[in-house]
Amino acid sequence: MTEFSAKLNSQALNKYTCLINGLKCDASSGETIELICPGTGLPYATIPRCSASDVGKAVSSARTALVSKEWATLSAGQRGERLLRLAELISQNRDHLAELEARDTGKPLSQGYDDIDAAIQYFRFYGGAADKVTGETLPVAVDYLAMTVREPHGVVASIVPWNYPMQIFARVAGAALAMGNTLVVKPSEEACVSVIETASLAVEAGFPAGTLNILTGLGEEAGAALSHNPEVDFITFTGSPDVGVMIQSAAARNHIGCTLELGGKSPQIVFEDADLSKALPVIQDCILKNGGQTCSAGSRVLVHQSRWEETVDTLRSSFRRTVSGQYKDNLDMGPLINASQLRRVNAFCEQAETDGIPLIGEGTIAPDAPTEGYYTTAKVYGPVPVDHSLALDEVFGPVLSLIPFRTEDEAVRIANGTPYGLVAGLWTKDIARATRVAKAIRSGQVFVNTYGAGGGVELPFGGVGKSGHGREKGFEALKEFSVLKTIVVSHA
C-alpha cells in the first residue's frame, strides 16, 4: 500500500478540499457546503463553496499546464501510462472508494463497487487507447501530400452529476486526458467525495500540476462560472435538459463545442415471442438500479397484449419482494439523493393514483431505515396511457410504466413518442424484426435481448433530441475530445 493509500484509509471523512494546480485548497472565501447523507438526512461532511475567482484559478492552472513542458511534451503512450497507473491506484483503494460512493449517493454498497470497477475500466481502456488514435493520408494531386491529425481541444470543462459521480468523472477524464487536454471538473454538490479523493490519486499517478483540477460548489455559482469562462475550449455536461440548454448557450457565446448527455425516457419493448424469464429480471433491475436515478433507465415497458397478463403477474410478485434500505445493508435499493428528488418522485406517483392508473405492485422500506432518510418504494403502474406524464416525462425514480401494444408499428410509434432518445431495449427471438425495429427507433443505443451491456465502456453513448448530442465512451469519445486538423504539403 502506498503512503497516500494508507493516509486515505485512515483520514476522517468530515472535511474535503479542492485540487487546483496540484494542491489541495479551500474556497478563496472560506465558505463551505454541507454534504447530506441520503440515508440519514443528516450532514456528514463539508466541501468548499467555490466562486468565480476560484474557477478562474483552476482554468488558469489548466491553461498553464496545457503548454508546460511536463504535459505538452509527453507522448500519447506516456499519457496512457499515467492513466493506467491511476487505474491501478484506484484498484488499490477500491474498498474505501466504493464505501464513499455508496454512502454519498445512497446506492447499495454492491452498486458502489460496480461504479468503482467501471471507473477502473475506463482508465484502463483509455490508458491503452491513448496511442491508438491515428490520422489519415488523403489522395490529392501528385505534387501534394495531404494528411489529417487529431489534436486536443485544450482546456476542457466537465460538469459531473450526482447519480454516478465516479463513473462519469472517469469516462470524461480518461478520454480527455488521453487526447492531451487538461481538465477542470466541477462535480455535483450533492455527491462528489469519491471524485475529490481520486484527484489526489492522479497526482500520485504522475499527472503534472494543473493537468487535472477539481473544484466544488453550487451549480449556479461555480458551474455557471466554469461554463462561461472564456479560457475554456470545450465543455462536457451530464444532467437535466433544462441545464443543458444553459450550458449550450454558454458554449455558443464563446464559440466552443460541447457534449451534452441529458435525460431519457427509454423504452423496452416486449414482443409476443420474448423470453420473459430472461427479460423481466433485467427490466426490473434497470429501474431499481440507483433507485431509478439513471438517465438511461428503461422506465417505459411496452408489452404485447398477448403477454400482458403474464408480465403483470410476474412483475407484481417481484416488485412486492423489493426492499429499500441503508446502503450498507446492500438491499434492492437505497434512498433517493435528497428531499427534493423524493418530493418529485412522490408527486408523479400521487398524480398517477389521482388519475386512476392502477398500481400493479409496490415494494417496501426496511423497518430499520432512518425515518429522516430519503427512502421510497419501487412501484410498477399499468396500463399507462401513452399521453400520461408517466409515459412521457422522466421521473428519475424507481417507477416503471407498463404500456400495452398490438402491432410492431404501434410499438415503434409509442417508443418514438417522447422528445427523448437515449437508449432502447428490444426483447424478441425474431432477428429480422429486431433489426427492423432497431433501425426504426430514434435512439442513441438499442439493445436486443439485453440492456446496458454492463455499462459498456467500449460502446459509444449519447442521445438524440432532448437527450442531448455528442458521444462519450469507446473510441468515439477520443474524437469528441479532439480537433481534426488537415495538413497539406507541396513537394513539387
Side-chain angles (χ1 to χ4, degrees):
M1 182 178 287
T2 65
E3 179 181 350
F4 175 81
S5 302
K7 183 179 180 182
L8 186 64
N9 289 322
S10 64
Q11 71 180 34
L13 300 178
N14 58 354
K15 181 179 185 294
Y16 292 92
T17 56
C18 297
L19 185 79
I20 298 177
N21 200 31
L23 301 174
K24 294 181 179 181
C25 60
D26 296 318
S28 56
S29 66
E31 292 187 75
T32 61
I33 299 170
E34 285 189 337
L35 291 179
I36 305 298
C37 178
T40 64
L42 301 173
Y44 72 96
T46 62
I47 56 173
R49 182 176 176 174
C50 291
S51 63
S53 64
D54 300 301
V55 169
K57 292 174 186 176
V59 173
S60 177
S61 171
R63 175 66 59 191
T64 300
L66 185 68
V67 297
S68 72
K69 279 190 175 182
E70 279 189 286
W71 186 240
T73 61
L74 287 182
S75 68
Q78 289 170 324
R79 294 196 299 270
E81 288 171 1
R82 282 158 175 78
L83 289 168
L84 292 171
R85 175 59 178 154
L86 178 55
E88 179 58 30
L89 290 172
I90 295 171
S91 181
Q92 291 174 17
N93 292 279
R94 177 174 179 264
D95 291 342
H96 179 69
L97 291 172
E99 177 92 12
L100 291 182
E101 188 80 345
R103 185 185 64 180
D104 208 22
T105 60
K107 64 186 65 174
L109 185 57
S110 61
Q111 293 177 30
Y113 275 105
D114 289 345
D115 289 356
I116 302 307
D117 290 342
I120 293 169
Q121 191 177 356
Y122 277 118
F123 285 120
R124 285 178 177 164
F125 179 89
Y126 288 114
D131 59 358
K132 310 298 188 298
V133 180
T134 61
E136 296 179 316
T137 57
L138 308 174
V140 289
V142 294
D143 292 337
Y144 294 92
L145 172 65
M147 69 191 85
T148 60
V149 296
R150 286 204 167 270
E151 298 180 341
H153 287 292
V155 177
V156 172
S158 176
I159 299 177
V160 174
W162 48 260
N163 55 342
Y164 291 94
M166 193 64 173
Q167 278 208 49
I168 295 175
F169 161 69
R171 82 185 188 200
V172 169
L177 295 172
M179 285 307 304
N181 299 282
T182 55
L183 194 58
V184 179
V185 178
K186 191 276 178 192
S188 171
E189 62 272 25
E190 301 285 355
C192 56
V193 296
S194 59
V195 174
I196 292 171
E197 297 211 346
T198 300
S200 293
L201 289 175
V203 174
E204 187 175 339
F207 286 93
T211 306
L212 173 62
N213 305 272
I214 308 292
L215 56 89
T216 57
L218 300 176
E220 61 269 28
E221 296 174 354
L226 181 58
S227 61
H228 284 85
N229 190 291
E231 293 301 309
V232 167
D233 299 302
F234 191 81
I235 304 174
T236 174
F237 169 77
T238 301
S240 72
D242 290 343
V243 178
V245 170
M246 293 188 281
I247 296 294
Q248 191 163 216
S249 298
R253 290 190 186 96
N254 290 323
H255 302 284
I256 61 174
C258 61
T259 294
L260 302 176
E261 196 265 281
L262 307 175
K265 193 64 179 177
S266 299
Q268 299 211 52
I269 307 177
V270 179
F271 288 98
E272 64 267 29
D273 62 342
D275 182 348
L276 295 187
S277 67
K278 181 179 179 181
L280 296 184
V282 174
I283 287 170
Q284 177 169 300
D285 182 65
C286 288
I287 199 66
L288 293 182
K289 190 173 291 297
N290 200 26
Q293 299 167 123
T294 304
C295 294
S296 57
S299 56
R300 288 186 297 153
V301 182
L302 283 53
V303 183
H304 190 271
Q305 61 177 358
S306 67
R307 309 303 297 276
W308 179 263
E309 294 301 330
E310 187 179 355
T311 297
V312 166
D313 290 344
T314 301
L315 290 178
R316 176 185 291 114
S317 297
S318 60
F319 265 70
R320 285 175 175 175
R321 292 193 295 270
T322 62
V323 183
S324 307
Q326 299 182 73
Y327 80 91
K328 62 184 179 182
D329 293 334
N330 213 29
L331 301 171
D332 300 293
M333 290 192 334
L336 300 183
I337 189 65
N338 55 33
S340 175
Q341 186 64 16
L342 180 61
R343 287 192 297 270
R344 172 184 169 82
V345 172
N346 287 342
F348 271 98
C349 296
E350 289 164 5
Q351 186 62 53
E353 290 157 22
T354 297
D355 294 339
I357 297 177
L359 175 61
I360 292 171
E362 179 178 7
T364 59
I365 298 173
D368 63 345
T371 55
E372 298 84 359
Y374 310 124
Y375 297 94
T376 189
T377 55
K379 297 182 178 73
V380 54
Y381 289 91
V384 177
V386 295
D387 58 352
H388 194 271
S389 60
L390 278 188
L392 297 174
D393 300 328
E394 186 175 37
V395 178
F396 223 58
V399 180
L400 195 64
S401 299
L402 301 190
I403 303 170
F405 72 91
R406 291 178 174 81
T407 67
E408 181 181 308
D409 287 345
E410 183 185 12
V412 171
R413 186 168 61 253
I414 295 170
N416 289 337
T418 78
Y420 298 102
L422 192 57
V423 181
L426 310 179
W427 298 91
T428 179
K429 296 173 185 175
D430 185 337
I431 189 62
R433 174 164 54 198
T435 303
R436 283 194 307 273
V437 175
K439 292 171 68 175
I441 287 179
R442 188 167 175 265
S443 180
Q445 287 186 332
V446 180
F447 293 95
V448 179
N449 296 326
T450 184
Y451 196 86
V457 168
E458 304 85 359
L459 306 177
F461 178 68
V464 297
K466 201 173 178 180
S467 289
H469 56 75
R471 293 297 179 263
E472 296 181 286
K473 301 187 181 182
F475 273 84
E476 287 298 316
L478 297 171
K479 296 178 183 178
E480 291 282 350
F481 286 112
S482 62
V483 177
L484 190 67
K485 175 185 284 185
T486 301
I487 300 173
V488 181
V489 179
S490 171
H491 55 79

